[in-house]
Structures are given as structure tokens and as C-alpha cells.
Amino acid sequence: MSGTSNETARRMAMLRDMARIRAFEREAVAAMRSGEAPGVVHPSIGQEGVAVGVCANLKRADRITSTHRGHGHAIAKGADARAMMLELHGRAGGSCGGKGGSMHIADFAVGMLGANGVVGAGIPIACGAAQAIRLTKEDAIVACFFGDGAVNRGPFLEGMNWAALYRLPVLFVCEDNGFAAFTRNSAVTAGGGPAVRAEACGVPATAVDGEDVLAVDAVTADLVARIRAGAGPQFLHAICYRWEGHTGTDAAAYRPADEAAAARGRDAIRRLAAVLEAEGIAAGEIAGIEAQAAAEMASHRAAAMAAPWPDPGAAYSDVQDAGAPA
Amino acid sequence: MTRMTFAEAARCALAAEMRRDPLVWALGEDLVQGGIFGQYKGLAGEFGTDRIVSTPISESTIMGAGLGAALCGTRPVIEMRIADFTLCAMDELVSQIAKVRYMFGGQGRAALVVRMPQGMWRNSAAQHSQCLEAWLTHIPGLVVVAPGTPADAAGLLAAAIRSDDPVVLMEPKNLWTTEGEVPDDITPVPFGIARHAAEGDALTVVTWSATVPVVEQAARESGIACDVFDLRSLWPWDEAAVVASVRRTGRLLVVHEAVTVSGFGAEIVARVVEGVGPGGLRAIERLGAPRAPVPFSPPLEDAMRITPARVAQAIRRVANT
């Protein structure tokens, strides 16, 4: 990459992050399907452009809250992918010591305040995180990821009003993949949709093609600059598509095949690769980045399989101090 | 010592903690105006509206924002106005706050207080009178505290604010205006240590929260030598002191305002039986509410109320069984 511009280097980093997220989730889904990894995985394959385009504009001190589909957000924010893979396998050394699993991936060291098993639950938490940041005069903002299904939950409405009322430094990122679990969200959502609802509460909304990481990056850069300047919360409505089903075992038969195929044709990774090639990056270098990502995640999966199980005594730690289980 | 009301004692404790630690702040409805029981009176003037925050009526976000703020290093005091409204924020309390430390493997902690005034108060009817304490003692991760005197209202609130665990503080609405002696220098009251409110050999009486003064009066007037414990906190609770007392008296009466069925009294009785063995008990009784919503009309509400007369009758029954 020597001789490339700073901007090209930044784009190469975004490509690498997207490739790492996809490779991580390919391994995670395979591990889940083979029975190596217990429990459920909710893959975000196809949505990497949103996680990476947003997090490319965040500093380490900034916080994020995430969803049940949170691997991408975590990796994009800089979370330890090896510890994440160990966590998915329920092993010692996992991000949460094997007590959280896929739906509770967290890496507080990089400001990733946790994936969440309850739809929309991160919205109120993000509001409070932003209030604390203001109270302590910390130079940071909060990015709050949620899906389009969350806009039908009360905490969404409460959180939009709250953040606008107190002009909190929050970037709300609605990853609109069109589906609330197995149901097309438009079939269960009245009115004009996520952006209209946010704007009704006084949170300015901006739409973006979530499958174009450079577009997400550019729009986010503008919104984050406004938030850091004290403009209050902003709403990013990122249109994207989930390639896989709701979980790793959901074949998503409720979706027409051509719809999913069309989404694969809009792949954010391939689109960025094409831009980089046009800028003079050799195809072999791009392939190398993807191969390196695949090798890294395969290595993490192997490490997870070889890692010891947690000590059963750990099941009783970190419950509470006063009145802890004996 | 200064004589003051329950509400004033709690207000003084919060003010002292906010002076001591700039990371302590409070959020909830109508706090700038002093809170509906006056327990925040004047605090916005001293600490400003960034630390005494009047919020929208958005219980999920009051609770959830408190958690987010705790995860970013501050120590929020979350005001739920009344315990019943906690039901609108149950996901945030039960599935987020209580579990955040555990499910993230100890990376973060919810060092916060949730104040939820509970129980009967001035004919407030079914949706404003509930006692939900047993629900919350069932949830791993929460400390559950239920003061019954002005001194403990102050000392337990101070302890709750300094605790690194999430603490649910169930303040008895009916006692906000009762007066008592409060130390001038408010010090934290440790969790899990009961207040030994009266000593006697005839029976052991266990209570907490709104029924504390009721039981103390009944014990005095009954003419029976009661060993009375005000638990002060329900999780952890002072099992050792209660079991030791029952070993001596052989008789146990538990009095609480909440519905008797599946109430915390059932847990106490079960643990005492496990502790002393079935042969160690001559009489057990629980006195609480019937399994019915709380009614509005004064005589209907009084029919469910735990009164000194009812407690005294129960004391005599248990002592003479």
C-alpha cells in the first residue's frame, strides 16, 4: 500500500474491516450449523457497509450500543475478534467469559457497550450514556445501532423525544434491512417509517444507501461533525439488506429468491473493491486482504475449539456483591 | 440527632451524597419541582438541572438512561415516582440493569439506585398501591431495600448510592410524613443487617417498610414480649438474626403489606423452617394482604390494611398457640 494516499489507505482499512466482519460471521454461522458453537447466531452479512461506514467516523472514546445482530458493530468499533469467537463458542477467554454468547457481545475497552437481546433496548441506554458524557465533560459521542423493527417499540419513541429534548450527542443508526425477524416490516408499520418518526420528535434524519460504505462514511462524517459541534442528536436511516435469515438456521423462505440475489449484486465489499481498483489498487492486493481476513477468522475458530471451557464456578461470579450467591 | 420526616431524611441523605460525589445525579419526573413527596425539594436550586433532571413521562427511558449513565461512570439515582410505574420499565430493570454485569462478564456494572415508593397511600386504588418487593427479590443481580424509619430512609439511601450493585429502594409512601430521629451526620446503613426493634422471648416478629411502625405499636400494646426485627433490606436479608431468634422463641410471625401469596414472607418462613428444622417451630403465621387488588373506597381499603389491632391479634394467636 506504500505510495497510496491517506484517503485510499482509509478506504483499504474499511475494506479490511468489512472483510473481517464477513469472514467472522461466515465462520460463526458454520460453527453454529455444525454444532461446534452452541446457541443462536444472528448474522449481519450484507450489512457490513453500515457498521464500518459509521464506525470509521468514531474515536475510541466514543461509545456504541448494539443489537442482537452485533458482531459487525463490535468488530468495526475495534473489539477483539478472537475473544468474540471464543465467546460464541462459550469458552474461557471469551469477551464475556462465556456468560453472554453471540447476543451479548461487548467490549467496553473500545467503547462497545454491548449487544442486546431485546429489540430497541439500546436506545434508552444510549441516551443515558450521552447524558453521563455531558455530565463528566468527556469529549465523546454515542452511536446507537438498531433495526427497523425497533421503531415499533415504545423505547424508540421515548428515546427520540428524550435525545432531542436534551440535545444529546447521539447518532441514531437505523439499519433498515426491511425485516422484523421473519416479517416484512412494512407489513406491520403504519405511517411514513423510521425517518418520519424520528423527525416528528425533532431528530433530523438523513437517508443513505447502506450497501455503499463510502456513502455511509461521507454522510456519517457530516452527521458526527454536527453532533460534536453540539447540534444534538442525528438520525441515519441506512437502507440495507440481510443476506442470511434472521438466525443462522433460518433459510428465509419468506423472501423471494431474486430479491436476495439482487442484494448480493449490491455487495458493499465488491463495490468498494471496484472503487479501489479504479484508483489503481491491484486486484491481487484486494484478494489478499480478503484472504487474510478469512485466515484470521478461521484461526480464531480453531483457537475457540481448542480453548478450555470456563470453570463452572464462574457461573456464580459477577451476579452482585451484596447478597451474592453462596 | 434531629427530628424530621421520612421525606426530609431522604432528601438530606441525597443532598449529602450529591455534595460528596459530583458523579451522583438524579433523573425522574417532576424532580426540579421537588418530587411528588417533597423528597427532592430544593435540590435543583443547589445542584442545577443537569444533576436534578426532570424527565418526560418515559419510564423505559428513565430506567434505561440511568443504566447507560452508570455504564459511563456516573452514579444515577433513578426516580420511578411510584413502584407501580416500574412495570412500564421492567425490561430495563430486570433484563438490562440486573444482568448487565453478569452477561458481559464483569466488563461493566450498574452502580445505580432505583427509588420506587410503594404501597397504600391516601386511597390511591389498584394501580397506585402495589407492593412489588417479592418480584424483585426473585431477580438475581438486584439488591432490594425497604426502609421503615426516617433514620433508615437516610442511611439506606446513602448506602444505596455508594453501592456498586444496582439497588432497588422501596420507600413506603404511607410513611413519607412520619417523623423520627435522624443522625445529623448521615452514615450508610449496611445491607443485610436487621434492626432489632424490640426484644422478647414469646415470639419472633419480622417486618419491614410500611408495617414497621404498625408492628412496633402492636408489640408495645399487646403486652406480649416480642422479639421484633425490622429487616431493612430484603435481599440480602438478615437470615442469621431471624433464625437465631426463632431457635429461642420457637414462634414466628411475619407481617408485610404485600399480598401474602408468594410474598417475601413465604421465603422467610421457608428459610426459617430449613434453618431450625420442622421440629423447632411451635407456631408460624404470615400476615399480609389478600390476593386482591387494592380498592379505592376508604372502608374497602381499610379492610385490607394491616393495622396495629390486626397485628396485635396475630401476636396473641401465635404466642398462645
Side-chain angles (χ1 to χ4, degrees):
Chain A
M1 263 173 36
S2 61
T4 57
S5 70
N6 285 344
E7 188 55 30
T8 300
R10 193 164 173 277
R11 290 174 177 184
M12 292 288 274
M14 286 196 274
L15 184 81
R16 190 190 65 235
D17 282 350
M18 289 195 293
R20 291 179 71 237
I21 292 169
R22 183 162 302 177
F24 180 92
E25 294 203 316
R26 291 249 190 259
E27 295 291 350
V29 169
M32 176 198 165
R33 287 180 181 158
S34 72
E36 287 171 30
V40 172
V41 167
H42 300 79
S44 68
I45 294 170
Q47 302 182 185
E48 298 91 341
V50 184
V52 171
V54 168
C55 290
N57 293 281
L58 301 181
K59 299 179 295 187
R60 188 182 175 96
D62 295 329
R63 314 299 206 282
I64 66 168
T65 63
S66 179
T67 69
H68 55 282
R69 206 177 300 287
H71 310 134
H73 308 143
I75 290 172
K77 188 67 172 67
D80 179 344
R82 183 179 181 278
M84 286 173 59
M85 189 64 83
L86 263 62
E87 185 63 30
L88 264 59
H89 284 72
R91 304 300 173 120
S95 314
C96 308
K99 284 147 119 175
S102 166
M103 269 193 287
H104 304 300
I105 285 293
D107 194 338
F108 280 50
V110 296
M112 199 292 185
L113 297 183
N116 208 302
V118 180
V119 169
I123 297 172
I125 295 171
C127 288
Q131 270 168 299
I133 283 168
R134 174 174 294 169
L135 204 61
T136 56
K137 298 183 165 53
E138 198 182 334
D139 178 21
I141 68 167
V142 183
C144 171
F145 291 93
F146 53 91
D148 47 312
V151 306
N152 286 327
R153 291 207 63 238
F156 171 82
L157 175 64
E158 291 189 6
M160 291 308 116
N161 178 65
W162 187 290
L165 182 70
Y166 300 115
R167 290 177 70 85
L168 294 174
V170 182
L171 175 65
F172 292 107
V173 182
C174 178
E175 292 180 300
D176 189 346
N177 63 25
F179 283 85
F182 306 151
T183 297
R184 202 173 285 278
N185 201 37
S186 58
V188 291
T189 305
V196 172
R197 292 185 186 188
E199 295 214 309
C201 292
V203 182
T206 307
V208 70
D209 176 0
E211 291 159 322
D212 179 349
V213 68
L214 296 181
V216 176
D217 175 42
V219 172
T220 304
D222 178 45
L223 298 181
V224 165
R226 285 191 225 178
I227 293 168
R228 292 197 200 280
Q234 305 288 324
F235 188 96
L236 181 64
H237 185 207
I239 314 297
C240 53
Y241 200 84
R242 186 185 80 198
W243 289 16
E244 306 288 326
H246 175 55
T247 66
T249 53
D250 166 27
Y254 43 85
R255 297 194 308 210
D258 58 346
E259 184 181 290
R264 285 179 163 78
R266 301 189 301 268
D267 182 7
I269 294 180
R270 295 271 66 79
R271 285 165 79 177
L272 179 57
V275 169
L276 287 166
E277 285 184 40
E279 287 177 354
I281 302 295
E285 191 168 350
I286 289 166
I289 285 175
E290 294 186 283
Q292 195 177 19
E296 179 201 348
M297 299 309 168
S299 160
H300 293 337
R301 183 177 166 192
M305 285 297 290
W309 294 105
D311 180 334
Y316 303 103
S317 66
D318 279 322
V319 177
Q320 57 189 110
D321 292 340
Chain B
M1 300 288 262
T2 305
R3 193 162 180 83
M4 62 176 78
T5 65
F6 200 108
E8 176 67 2
R11 194 191 71 79
C12 288
L14 178 57
E17 291 305 307
M18 290 184 71
R19 283 180 206 122
R20 187 186 61 79
D21 183 352
L23 295 173
V24 177
W25 63 294
L27 70 165
E29 300 155 16
D30 295 326
L31 300 198
V32 169
Q33 295 88 332
I36 57 172
F37 304 102
Q39 73 275 45
Y40 295 89
K41 194 175 170 188
L43 297 185
E46 178 175 353
F47 299 106
T49 53
D50 285 338
R51 290 181 70 196
I52 296 291
V53 180
S54 279
T55 69
I57 301 174
S58 299
E59 289 84 2
S60 293
T61 300
I62 296 169
M63 192 76 85
L67 172 57
L71 295 180
C72 290
T74 64
R75 302 183 83 87
V77 174
I78 299 167
E79 175 60 54
M80 272 288 116
R81 195 178 189 101
I82 60 170
D84 311 67
F85 299 158
T86 305
L87 300 177
C88 302
M90 218 51 168
D91 171 64
E92 286 73 17
L93 178 61
V94 173
S95 293
Q96 313 295 338
I97 287 172
K99 294 176 177 59
V100 68
R101 177 181 169 196
Y102 187 84
M103 69 187 186
F104 295 150
Q107 293 185 62
R109 301 178 63 130
L112 53 81
V113 186
V114 186
R115 300 178 75 176
M116 44 177 83
Q118 73 160 5
M120 287 184 191
W121 184 59
R122 284 196 206 150
N123 312 103
S124 303
Q127 296 174 337
H128 287 63
S129 303
Q130 296 171 84
C131 293
L132 301 174
E133 64 215 19
W135 290 33
L136 300 173
T137 57
H138 193 70
I139 304 301
L142 298 180
V143 172
V144 181
V145 175
T149 65
D152 284 346
L156 288 168
L157 176 57
I161 290 170
R162 296 188 198 188
S163 169
D164 288 334
D165 287 323
V167 179
V168 172
L169 189 70
M170 318 210 68
E171 297 166 304
K173 293 204 291 285
N174 218 34
L175 299 187
W176 281 120
T177 55
T178 62
E179 290 189 353
E181 296 294 323
V182 177
D184 294 325
D185 187 15
I186 294 166
T187 53
V189 170
F191 304 136
I193 298 175
R195 183 174 63 90
H196 202 172
E199 291 186 34
D201 295 329
L203 80 165
T204 304
V205 187
V206 178
T207 191
W208 56 89
S209 190
T211 44
V212 164
V214 178
V215 167
E216 288 190 79
Q217 184 185 339
R220 278 195 307 271
E221 293 174 355
S222 68
I224 291 171
C226 302
D227 215 27
V228 177
F229 291 93
D230 166 7
L231 285 187
R232 305 201 278 200
S233 61
L234 301 185
W235 197 267
W237 69 282
D238 199 343
E239 186 178 335
V242 172
V243 168
S245 172
V246 177
R247 272 190 216 286
R248 191 162 48 78
T249 65
R251 299 172 194 276
L252 173 64
L253 170 66
V254 183
V255 182
H256 58 60
E257 184 183 346
V259 168
T260 309
V261 174
S262 298
F264 194 68
E267 173 71 14
I268 291 172
V269 169
R271 296 296 293 168
V272 167
V273 170
E274 287 170 351
V276 305
L281 277 156
R282 279 170 286 175
I284 306 175
E285 185 169 328
R286 288 179 289 154
L287 186 60
R291 195 169 181 279
V294 175
F296 166 71
S297 171
L300 299 183
E301 189 187 55
D302 285 344
M304 290 190 188
R305 192 180 297 279
I306 303 294
T307 60
R310 287 182 62 198
V311 175
Q313 282 174 8
I315 287 172
R316 290 189 195 99
R317 272 197 305 276
V318 172
N320 294 321
T321 297

